[in-house]
Amino acid sequence: MLPHRSHCLPLRSPLHQRGRALWWGLLLIVTTLAAGGGWWWKQRNTAADGASVAAGAPAARAPGRFSAGGQVQPVSVGVVRRQDVRVMVQAIGTMSARATAVVRAKVGGELMALHFKEGQQVKAGQLLAEIDPRSYQAALGQVQGSLQRDQALLRNAQLDLQRYKDLLAQDSIATQQVDTQAALVRQLEGTVAAGQAQVDAARLQLGYTRITAPIAGRLGLRQADRGNVVGPSDANGIVTINLVQPIDAAFAVPEAHLASITRRLAEGADLPVELWDREQKRRLARGRLGALDNAIDPTTGTIKVKASFANEDGGLFPNQFVNVRLQLDVLPNALTVPGTAVQNNYVYLVQPDGTVTQRRIRVGVADGDRVSVEGELNDGDQVVTDGIDRLREGAKVAVIDAGVAVRADEAVQDAGARRAALLRSLTQAERDKLATMSPDERRAFLRARRQQAGGAAPPAAAASAASATVR
């Protein structure tokens, strides 16, 4: 039996060691899971405590990621104030001339003279061009000669008729001869009338050789030059005239505003209209609503509207693209805030203790850079307009005067410009000498040159003015 037992002992020892390693591995896994569970439980309790604190007292919450560790945040503010707010409708419009006329020659001929400059303002009836009149003068002379001959024949026939009537009274001539002479007189009267009409027509054709402006307005570019043969069939004519004083703007507004527009027009009110450039930064003109179209466009649900503008300075041109603002109504004494202060129907109100709090508002209509609102705001309150993305409820802020920063930037720019001008005024030898100087020597040299040039303030003064003022 002993040899058998000695043979089995080496086989059981490795199994025993493997079991002990398995137990140690299980123990390590359990320990790791327990540590991870404890860490998770701790984090969960911490988050729950933070949420409860935030719900109960916002000011006691720990600083968040966007609050810069509780540091004071610099912001710009705007003032809440009450003012009249205009209810505006914005649209895209196109300018159109009040009247357009293409100046064409009414008779054919060679263009002898042009009496206008391209782009100038002309009055109705002003002479613009002349056509060679010689052929029309000859035609007029011909019909005038025929008229004089017919008038002479008529006078002779009238004298004969008078003599025949005297002889008939003496019973010395037949009645038939008197009647024949009377018919000849009437025939010659018709010939003279036809000749007079021919003279008038020829004189009219001669007058057409002087081309005048049919309407007042601004001339375009000429389409014919001196020496060209022009005629009534020319498609482009000689020049185009556009009546641009006054001028009209055509645009479309949604049919939802039609009731308000018709009501205001029925009341006899003038609806003001403003024109702005493409970037809506510069106002071009002010006018008033003129007329409405008689039908709504079913494809767009809009109605065409026309507004008139005096255009006294001539700054508006036909077919010019404009942004239109039509004023429908005015909200008197409405509570307004700067448009940049509104974010997702909230504003940040600056409190007397230097912290901010969110106030929910209801946004109304916008008028320029201000928006009418309804909410827990008072006239004179300060709301944050710049730096909103760095704020949270209860964050401390410092109000920066934007005007001081702008003036500081301008001072720095002016100082830099003066320094550049001073360097440009140096000779090449002085520039070479300046390059070899130490910084202190260079500053002293430039200071001396500035004093010689007129005592300009050194750049250090501008740099000191560039610091932002906190109030």
Side-chain angles (χ1 to χ4, degrees), residues 233-376:
S233 60
D234 295 340
N236 297 327
I238 299 175
V239 71
T240 302
I241 303 177
N242 285 327
L243 178 58
V244 294
Q245 292 178 341
I247 193 171
D248 296 329
F251 56 97
V253 298
E255 61 178 323
H257 302 295
L258 182 58
S260 300
I261 295 175
T262 54
R263 176 178 56 83
R264 295 297 306 278
L265 291 178
E267 295 173 354
D270 287 338
L271 298 183
V273 181
E274 295 181 353
L275 298 183
W276 293 74
D277 60 357
R278 288 181 179 270
E279 291 77 17
Q280 299 202 29
K281 296 181 179 179
R282 184 172 62 92
R283 185 174 58 203
L284 302 178
R286 287 179 176 177
R288 61 183 182 86
L289 189 67
L292 295 174
D293 200 357
N294 58 359
I296 296 175
D297 188 350
T299 59
T300 60
T302 58
I303 185 169
K304 291 183 179 180
V305 182
K306 182 179 288 187
S308 61
F309 301 86
N311 196 25
E312 295 177 353
D313 59 351
L316 300 175
F317 288 79
N319 301 326
Q320 180 180 355
F321 171 87
V322 290
N323 287 294
V324 184
R325 298 180 185 179
L326 170 62
Q327 179 178 331
L328 294 181
D329 205 349
V330 177
L331 301 179
N333 200 28
L335 193 66
T336 65
V337 299
T340 54
V342 180
Q343 187 179 55
N344 297 328
N345 293 327
Y346 283 92
V347 295
Y348 276 101
L349 174 65
V350 180
Q351 301 185 107
D353 59 355
T355 61
V356 294
T357 180
Q358 276 190 345
R359 291 293 172 87
R360 185 174 181 84
I361 58 173
R362 186 165 58 185
V363 181
V365 299
D367 184 5
D369 59 351
R370 300 194 68 85
V371 181
S372 65
V373 296
E374 295 180 3
E376 298 180 3

Side-chain angles (χ1 to χ4, degrees), residues 90-430:
Q90 298 191 7
I92 296 175
T94 305
M95 305 306 300
S96 60
R98 179 65 61 88
T100 301
V102 179
V103 180
R104 294 187 177 91
K106 297 182 179 180
V107 293
E110 180 182 353
L111 197 60
M112 299 295 294
L114 294 173
H115 300 283
F116 66 88
K117 294 181 179 179
E118 296 171 320
Q120 80 174 85
Q121 291 282 345
V122 296
K123 299 180 180 179
Q126 181 175 336
L127 179 63
L128 300 179
E130 292 183 79
I131 297 175
D132 187 2
R134 291 174 295 180
S135 60
Y136 299 97
Q137 289 175 346
L140 176 61
Q142 183 178 2
V143 295
Q144 285 177 339
S146 299
L147 176 61
Q148 292 177 359
R149 180 196 61 195
D150 295 335
Q151 289 174 342
L153 293 175
L154 175 60
R155 285 194 295 271
N156 184 48
Q158 290 173 344
L159 292 175
D160 289 344
L161 177 59
Q162 185 62 38
R163 286 192 293 268
Y164 290 165
K165 287 181 178 180
D166 294 341
L167 293 174
L168 180 61
Q170 300 174 4
D171 200 15
S172 301
I173 192 174
T175 304
Q176 181 180 3
Q177 190 173 359
V178 175
D179 295 338
T180 301
Q181 188 64 30
L184 179 60
V185 169
R186 289 193 295 272
Q187 179 182 355
L188 291 176
E189 287 176 348
T191 303
V192 169
Q196 183 63 50
Q198 291 178 355
V199 169
D200 295 338
R203 186 175 287 113
L204 182 62
Q205 295 294 312
L206 179 61
Y208 284 156
T209 60
R210 292 173 56 86
I211 302 174
T212 58
I215 61 173
R218 178 184 292 156
L219 296 176
L221 302 179
R222 68 174 183 270
Q223 305 297 322
D225 295 322
R226 180 179 177 182
N228 295 158
V229 177
V230 295
S233 60
D234 295 340
N236 297 327
I238 299 175
V239 71
T240 302
I241 303 177
N242 285 327
L243 178 58
V244 294
Q245 292 178 341
I247 193 171
D248 296 329
F251 56 97
V253 298
E255 61 178 323
H257 302 295
L258 182 58
S260 300
I261 295 175
T262 54
R263 176 178 56 83
R264 295 297 306 278
L265 291 178
E267 295 173 354
D270 287 338
L271 298 183
V273 181
E274 295 181 353
L275 298 183
W276 293 74
D277 60 357
R278 288 181 179 270
E279 291 77 17
Q280 299 202 29
K281 296 181 179 179
R282 184 172 62 92
R283 185 174 58 203
L284 302 178
R286 287 179 176 177
R288 61 183 182 86
L289 189 67
L292 295 174
D293 200 357
N294 58 359
I296 296 175
D297 188 350
T299 59
T300 60
T302 58
I303 185 169
K304 291 183 179 180
V305 182
K306 182 179 288 187
S308 61
F309 301 86
N311 196 25
E312 295 177 353
D313 59 351
L316 300 175
F317 288 79
N319 301 326
Q320 180 180 355
F321 171 87
V322 290
N323 287 294
V324 184
R325 298 180 185 179
L326 170 62
Q327 179 178 331
L328 294 181
D329 205 349
V330 177
L331 301 179
N333 200 28
L335 193 66
T336 65
V337 299
T340 54
V342 180
Q343 187 179 55
N344 297 328
N345 293 327
Y346 283 92
V347 295
Y348 276 101
L349 174 65
V350 180
Q351 301 185 107
D353 59 355
T355 61
V356 294
T357 180
Q358 276 190 345
R359 291 293 172 87
R360 185 174 181 84
I361 58 173
R362 186 165 58 185
V363 181
V365 299
D367 184 5
D369 59 351
R370 300 194 68 85
V371 181
S372 65
V373 296
E374 295 180 3
E376 298 180 3
L377 297 174
N378 297 319
D379 191 8
D381 287 344
Q382 290 184 337
V383 291
V384 178
T385 58
D386 188 17
I388 300 176
D389 56 338
R390 301 189 303 270
L391 300 181
R392 290 295 183 270
E393 178 68 26
K396 286 189 172 294
V397 297
V399 178
I400 295 178
D401 188 354
V404 172
V406 171
R407 290 191 294 271
D409 292 340
E410 293 177 352
V412 171
Q413 294 176 1
D414 292 342
R418 290 194 299 269
R419 182 181 180 87
L422 179 60
L423 293 176
R424 287 195 299 268
S425 65
L426 299 178
T427 63
Q428 186 62 40
E430 291 174 335

